[in-house]
DNA sequence: CTCGCTGGAGACCTTAAACG
DNA sequence: CGTTTAAGGTCTCCAGCGAG
């Protein structure tokens, strides 16, 4: 497939970790996208809205947002937004996983044991903020051995998230691994024909489960409900077509499996935050 | 007239509870 | 671990409105 915009961040192979500040919303950042790297966003100032996998989060000063490898996301500003963005590759912790296999759990078990938006009332969040700021200071000064210091700070960050922000005990995740293979066959079917108007019954039949049971298991393993997942794929495709072609909105809607425009407009607006025509205008301004 | 968008009724999906 | 049931929420379709 590969029709949804996918960013390949230029992370150095030797040290795949970088920190930057985004003031307001950088146009490139503003588009719905995903990437294979892991991302930590820290709201230094102001307010904004984050759309992640079709869910809307309001973010305000002090909030920390984690984005895993497959989270479709898009941020925009509501007031004076300054975001510190820390991006890194999971390869950075390849060695650590030998003795600490759960070090990347905040990302690999996103939506199972962790939320994208970390609980702002958790007393441990202050320490996390400090670590992110320290990491950026190291990154800027690049004093001797800064890479080792940054990597240690990031490891501490992940460990503290693991320790203090988990919604469920560690054991619950391993039980879910069995269910993941069950979901895999269904995901494959969806991706082979994403435009099709899948019904819950059809998907449940592939998994040999009752619709309600299937829906629950899918949500547990994939992080979003079955039909919402299909919707995300189709919307991502529509954004791609709106931005890269001049075709009529009604044709794009039809190609992405929306049989009437009214429905397309409404669904699109709630998921993306702008109407289809606004998305297209946004492209032309750039 | 066409195109983009909104409102309402009904179909379908999601989720939790009760139970085998 | 699984099904059935039922309430509540979400999506789809159709009618209709305003702008160009």
């Amino acid at each position: 497939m590969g029709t949804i915009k996918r960013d390949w961040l230029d992370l150095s192979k030797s040290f795949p970790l970088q920190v930057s500040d985004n003031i307001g919303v950088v146009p490139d950042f503003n588009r719905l996208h995903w990437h294979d790297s892991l991302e930590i966003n820290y709201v230094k100032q102001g307010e904004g809205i984050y759309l992640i996998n079709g869910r809307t989060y309001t973010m305000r000063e002090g909030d920390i947002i984690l984005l895993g490898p497959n989270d479709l996301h898009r941020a925009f500003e509501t007031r004076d937004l300054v975001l510190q963005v820390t991006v890194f590759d999971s390869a950075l912790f390849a060695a650590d996983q030998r003795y600490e296999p759960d070090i990347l759990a905040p990302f690999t078990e996103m939506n199972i044991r962790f939320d994208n938006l970390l609980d702002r009332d958790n007393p441990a969040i202050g320490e996390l903020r400090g670590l992110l700021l320290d990491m950026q200071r190291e990154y800027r000064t690049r004093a001797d051995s800064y890479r080792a210091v940054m990597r240690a700070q990031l490891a501490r960050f992940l460990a503290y998230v693991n320790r203090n922000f988990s919604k469920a005990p560690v054991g619950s995740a391993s039980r879910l691994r069995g269910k993941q293979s069950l979901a895999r066959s269904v995901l494959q079917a969806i991706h082979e024909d994403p435009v099709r108007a899948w019904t819950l019954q059809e998907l449940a039949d592939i998994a040999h489960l009752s619709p309600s049971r299937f829906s629950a298991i899918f949500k547990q393993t994939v992080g979003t409900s079955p039909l919402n997942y299909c919707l995300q794929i189709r919307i991502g495709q529509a954004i791609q077509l709106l931005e890269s072609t001049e075709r009529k909105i009604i044709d794009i809607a039809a190609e992405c499996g929306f049989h009437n425009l009214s429905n397309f407009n409404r669904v699109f607006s709630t998921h993306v935050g702008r109407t289809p025509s606004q998305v297209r205008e946004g492209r032309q301004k750039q």
Side-chain angles (χ1 to χ4, degrees):
Chain A
M1 283 311 302
T3 42
I4 305 176
K5 190 172 297 294
R6 197 180 181 104
D7 283 3
W8 296 98
L9 290 160
D10 185 26
L11 285 178
S12 149
K13 285 275 192 313
S14 57
F15 188 62
L17 168 59
Q18 56 188 34
V19 186
S20 61
D21 276 347
N22 284 304
I23 313 246
V25 176
V26 183
D28 192 45
F29 193 64
N30 194 16
R31 266 184 268 126
L32 194 66
H33 67 291
W34 72 28
H35 42 66
D36 282 341
S37 312
L38 308 174
E39 192 175 312
I40 302 165
N41 291 329
Y42 171 46
V43 184
K44 280 183 165 171
Q45 179 195 305
E47 286 170 10
I49 293 177
Y50 230 121
L51 285 163
I52 306 169
N53 295 329
R55 279 166 67 191
T56 306
Y57 300 85
T58 54
M59 50 177 168
R60 55 179 196 238
E61 195 168 320
D63 278 349
I64 297 173
I65 295 121
L66 305 181
L67 294 165
N70 286 309
D71 289 330
L72 260 177
H73 56 277
R74 176 174 166 281
F76 54 95
E77 175 178 28
T78 49
R79 187 180 56 79
D80 305 330
L81 186 64
V82 179
L83 267 187
Q84 178 185 318
V85 181
T86 305
V87 185
F88 65 101
D89 195 288
S90 58
L92 195 63
F93 293 103
D96 302 64
Q97 286 180 292
R98 281 169 51 201
Y99 57 86
E100 188 64 63
D102 287 332
I103 186 75
L104 290 172
F107 294 96
T108 56
E109 287 168 29
M110 180 67 73
N111 288 309
I112 300 170
R113 288 177 51 215
F114 301 91
D115 282 325
N116 289 101
L117 176 65
L118 294 185
D119 178 13
R120 55 175 76 105
D121 297 322
N122 190 312
I125 202 160
E127 191 143 21
L128 296 182
R129 289 174 187 145
L131 280 168
L132 291 176
L133 292 172
D134 285 349
M135 233 188 294
Q136 184 170 43
R137 199 171 313 128
E138 282 292 328
Y139 190 69
R140 281 181 174 152
T141 57
R142 284 179 162 75
D144 288 349
S145 303
Y146 78 94
R147 294 184 193 86
V149 173
M150 285 183 71
R151 208 174 77 90
Q153 284 164 334
L154 185 54
R156 259 178 91 184
F157 179 94
L158 294 170
Y160 288 168
V161 173
N162 237 334
R163 192 180 285 174
N164 298 306
F165 290 83
S166 173
K167 295 188 290 185
V170 179
S172 65
S174 60
R175 251 181 283 134
L176 281 164
R177 291 214 175 93
K179 295 175 183 172
Q180 279 173 354
S181 61
L182 194 153
R184 199 164 296 136
S185 56
V186 178
L187 288 174
Q188 197 182 336
I190 293 173
H191 280 274
E192 276 169 15
D193 192 2
V195 168
R196 174 168 167 183
W198 290 100
T199 65
L200 185 63
Q201 186 67 57
E202 287 171 335
L203 296 173
D205 285 346
I206 296 172
H208 305 293
L209 283 170
S210 64
S212 60
R213 181 70 182 148
F214 167 72
S215 189
I217 288 180
F218 190 95
K219 169 122 195 206
Q220 264 187 308
T221 51
V222 180
T224 181
S225 58
L227 267 78
N228 195 44
Y229 182 85
C230 297
L231 206 55
Q232 280 168 39
I233 292 172
R234 287 152 62 199
I235 289 174
Q237 214 170 337
I239 291 172
Q240 163 80 14
L241 289 172
L242 283 168
E243 290 184 334
S244 62
T245 69
E246 295 295 337
R247 297 172 54 193
K248 287 196 290 186
I249 290 181
I250 192 166
D251 291 341
I252 291 173
E255 181 166 331
C256 299
F258 298 89
H259 297 106
N260 68 75
L261 204 50
S262 65
N263 179 40
F264 176 67
N265 287 327
R266 192 191 332 257
V267 169
F268 192 96
S269 303
T270 54
H271 278 251
V272 180
R274 288 181 295 179
T275 61
S277 55
Q278 284 171 331
V279 167
R280 173 161 278 171
E281 279 156 23
R283 175 186 63 84
Q284 283 164 351
K285 268 179 215 152
Q286 284 173 27

